[in-house]
Amino acid sequence: MLADAIRKFAPSRRAFLQRTVTLGGLALLTGCSLDDNSSIEAALGKVSSLNDRIQGVLFDPNKLAPTYPDSMITRPFPFNAFYGEDEAPEVDGDEWRLELSGLIADKTPWSLRQLRAMPQADQITRHICVEGWSAIGKWGGVPFGTFLKRIGADLNAKYVGFKCADDYYTSIDMATALHPQTLMALTYDGQTLPTKYGYPMKLRMPTKLGYKNPKHIHAIFVSNTYPGGYWEDQGYNWFGGS
Ligand SMILES: Nc1nc2c(c(=O)[nH]1)N[C@H]1C(S)=C(S)[C@@H](COP(=O)(O)O)O[C@H]1N2
Ligand SMILES: [Mo]
C-alpha cells in the first residue's frame, strides 16, 4: 500500500523512501496516522520538508561544486523540459525585460543589454537530472549574488522565486542564490544561450539538481513566503541539492 501510494502521489520521493521506510516507520517519523492516501501524502510531504531543512542546514555556502576542463564538455549537451525541444518558447530578446518584485529595493526591470554590461563569469560544471542522466556544460553570465546586491534584494529573506516564459516556475533558498557559482547564464559554450537551453536567461546552479535550474526566466521575486515550483508542487523535493 505504501509503495503504491508513493508511486501514485510522489514518484520522486520513492527513491529516497522505498529502501528505508515502512508504513509503520513513516508513521513514527512523522507522527501521522496513515489510514488513507491523503494522510500518507501528508506524511510524505513532512518527510520531504524535513529533508529540505536538513539540506539547508548542511549546505556549505563556500563549498564549490567540481569544475571540469573544456575537453570534458558533453557534446551535444542534452535538452530537457516538460515538453519537446521544438516547443521551447521563442523569446524576443530586444523586447524582453526581467521583472523584479517582492523584497527588492530597486524593482526597475532589466534589459538583456544591461545584464550583458555587468561583470561576467563562466564555469564548466556537471548538470544532474533526476531522470537519470548527467552532462558537463559551460555556462557564462552574471554571478547572481552580484545582481541581488545590485538591486538591493533583502539578502536575509528566505526565498528567491523565478517565473519562466513556458509556465515553468521554481524557487530556491537565499544561501544557494548567493553561492559563488550561481549564475544568471546568458551564454552556453561561449555563444548566446540557445532557445533550447533557456534563452534569454537561465539560472545555473551546479549545487542543485537539473529541475531547480529554471530556463527562459522573465521574472524574479524575493520573499519569505514559500513559493514552491513546477515539479516541487508535484512532489519533487524542494531543496533539490546535487
Ligand atoms: N523553463 C523551464 N526550465 C526548466 C525545465 C523546463 O521544463 N522549463 N526543465 C528543468 C529540467 S528537469 C532540466 S533537467 C533542465 C534541462 O536543461 P537543459 O535543456 O539545458 O539540459 O532544465 C530545467 N529547467
Ligand atoms: Mo531534469
Side-chain angles (χ1 to χ4, degrees):
M1 183 194 180
L2 177 63
D4 282 350
I6 294 174
R7 202 167 294 123
K8 186 164 171 206
F9 293 107
S12 65
R13 287 173 190 154
R14 215 175 352 155
F16 75 87
L17 282 173
Q18 69 183 358
R19 272 162 306 173
T20 45
V21 182
T22 61
L23 195 52
L26 186 63
L28 270 176
L29 195 61
T30 60
C32 299
S33 72
L34 303 173
D35 34 31
D36 58 32
N37 281 338
S38 66
S39 58
I40 290 172
E41 170 70 343
L44 289 172
K46 280 197 178 180
V47 174
S48 193
S49 76
L50 173 67
N51 182 338
D52 285 339
R53 287 196 294 279
I54 293 169
Q55 290 186 76
V57 169
L58 293 179
F59 181 74
D60 179 345
N62 299 311
K63 187 173 175 244
L64 298 182
T67 56
Y68 302 88
D70 257 82
S71 59
M72 286 182 72
I73 294 174
T74 307
R75 299 181 196 283
F77 191 84
F79 162 86
N80 197 36
F82 65 90
Y83 44 76
E85 192 173 321
D86 51 348
E87 289 163 77
E90 300 278 351
V91 176
D92 180 337
D94 296 331
E95 294 289 312
W96 179 86
R97 292 291 179 277
L98 178 64
E99 290 157 30
L100 302 175
S101 64
L103 305 170
I104 294 173
D106 183 355
K107 300 188 180 76
T108 314
W110 280 60
S111 68
L112 204 45
R113 183 199 291 258
Q114 288 172 302
L115 285 179
R116 287 182 181 139
M118 293 278 283
Q120 309 283 305
D122 58 34
Q123 57 178 239
I124 302 176
T125 52
R126 184 183 294 277
H127 170 120
I128 302 167
C129 174
V130 289
E131 287 176 31
W133 57 271
S134 83
I136 294 172
K138 181 178 182 175
W139 293 270
V142 183
F144 194 39
T146 311
F147 181 78
L148 289 173
K149 286 168 197 152
R150 174 71 184 272
I151 61 177
D154 176 357
L155 305 182
N156 295 313
K158 282 190 187 162
Y159 307 107
V160 183
F162 305 89
K163 296 177 191 169
C164 307
D166 57 359
D167 293 341
Y168 200 78
Y169 60 101
T170 190
S171 55
I172 60 171
D173 52 296
M174 185 59 79
T176 301
L178 298 173
H179 185 273
Q181 287 171 309
T182 297
L183 274 190
M184 299 167 91
L186 304 173
T187 68
Y188 181 75
D189 202 8
Q191 310 292 321
T192 300
L193 194 66
T195 295
K196 61 182 173 180
Y197 301 144
Y199 183 82
M201 192 269 284
K202 71 168 274 180
L203 200 74
R204 173 61 197 146
M205 294 169 281
T207 57
K208 287 211 190 287
L209 293 167
Y211 65 89
K212 298 296 301 181
N213 290 243
K215 304 192 285 188
H216 315 288
I217 295 170
H218 72 78
I220 294 179
F221 60 95
V222 174
S223 177
N224 282 314
T225 307
Y226 176 73
Y230 181 92
W231 289 117
E232 295 87 336
D233 293 349
Q234 299 177 55
Y236 277 54
N237 174 249
W238 176 77
F239 196 88
S242 70

